[in-house]
Every structure is written in structure tokens, then in C-alpha cells.
Amino acid sequence: MTEYDGTRVLEFSTEGAAGWDARFPDDGPSYDAAVAELGLFTGDTVLDAGCGTGRALPALRAAVGRQGTVLGVDLAPALLEVAVLAGRHRGALLTVADAARLPLRDGVLDAVFTAGLVPHLPDPAAGLRELARVVRPGGHTHPRSGMAGGGGRQPLRLPGHRHLTRRPRGRQPSLPRSPR
């Protein structure tokens, strides 16, 4: 494999940004279900890695509440622009960044969510290690190989983290309100 610079992914994402949401008009319930599976708590800090047009951001915001923090990163500024135009940026901090090289300290997140990111990573194992690096021990992970809830696409495990583990006693998951 040649040295990864993100150029191919960036070109692909930029070219399709304006019509991306139209290609997948009915996947909102799948995002809602995937976020619910993540078991977030009010006040959690969660990252949507490779957030694209931000279709999962409203469900993530609803799950962590006003006390929580929602971060979204994507390599393609054009996709983030679509998220802003659609109003999905409200209550989230969006930044242009490579999910394979996150600008975050080790263990700063309670959870990481992805949908459709892994096929775009140049080295999926290294990418999963990078996602694991930023999640605190015992934190939740929910990377998907493709869109949540369809076609047999299974959650992937992050090295060194339990997938969808139970939280310490005394903390209850938030009950997200539908963002629609």
C-alpha cells in the first residue's frame, strides 16, 4: 500500500458531499438505534469519528444531554459544511481531522461512535487502535463496518476495550429523546 495521505478519501467525500444525504434518506432510525445501543449517559463526552454530514450528531446530543459533549471529526470540510447547513452542528463541536490521527489526548472520551468509517481507513487495525487510544478505560465503543442496523454489518471491537460494556453502578444511561 502507498503512503496514506487521505487524498483519495477527501476527493471521494468532497465530490459526493452535496448529494450524500439524498443517497441515504431513510437511515435516521438506524442511527438512532445504533446510538441507543451505545448506552450513553447524561454528561458523557462522545466522538463521532468520520461524522460526515452529521446524521448521528442529533441522536448523540440527545443521549448525552446539555451536560454532555459531542465532538464530530471528518477529513472532508465539504461534508462538515453539509452538516452545518442541515443544522446538525447545533450542540456539537465539529472539526476537520483525520480519524486515523485524532487531535485528542489519550483516554479523554467516554465513548466513540462511527458508522461507515472503517472501510475508508488505510489500515483498519491501526485506525481502531487510534479510536481505542482516545477512549477512557471502561468506555464504550461502537464502530460499525457500515451503516448501523443493516446488511449484517457487525460492530467491530476496539483493541483493549470492551464493546458496549456495563457502566459502574450508580450511573444510569440517559434516555435519548428523538431528535426529530
Side-chain angles (χ1 to χ4, degrees):
M1 180 177 278
T2 61
E3 179 68 20
Y4 171 74
D5 65 3
T7 302
R8 183 188 63 75
V9 172
L10 186 58
E11 288 173 356
F12 168 79
S13 299
T14 301
E15 288 173 11
W20 193 259
D21 289 349
R23 291 177 60 195
F24 307 99
D26 300 322
D27 63 1
S30 293
Y31 278 106
D32 293 345
V35 169
E37 284 178 30
L38 192 51
L40 294 168
F41 292 93
T42 299
D44 275 354
T45 299
V46 61
L47 169 69
D48 185 350
C51 69
T53 62
R55 292 174 298 159
L57 295 174
L60 292 168
R61 165 52 56 211
V64 301
R66 296 183 131 201
Q67 303 88 340
T69 302
V70 176
L71 307 169
V73 301
D74 203 278
L75 188 60
L79 290 174
L80 295 177
E81 288 173 18
V82 172
V84 170
L85 290 172
R88 297 184 195 117
H89 68 295
R90 293 185 188 100
L93 304 169
L94 302 182
T95 192
V96 175
D98 187 342
R101 297 179 196 102
L102 292 166
L104 298 169
R105 293 187 322 258
D106 294 358
V108 296
L109 303 173
D110 294 299
V112 64
F113 177 89
T114 70
L117 171 70
V118 175
H120 297 289
L121 294 171
D123 179 347
L128 292 174
R129 282 191 300 275
E130 176 64 359
L131 296 177
R133 180 187 66 78
V134 298
V135 177
R136 69 170 172 74
H140 289 218
T141 59
H142 200 279
R144 293 273 181 169
S145 60
M147 185 51 232
R153 297 172 183 134
Q154 296 298 313
L156 301 170
R157 305 290 193 257
L158 292 184
H161 286 77
R162 288 192 226 161
H163 178 76
L164 300 176
T165 57
R166 291 192 180 265
R167 295 289 180 107
R169 287 185 176 198
R171 292 194 70 193
Q172 298 296 318
S174 62
L175 299 174
R177 287 172 275 125
S178 176
R180 289 175 206 16

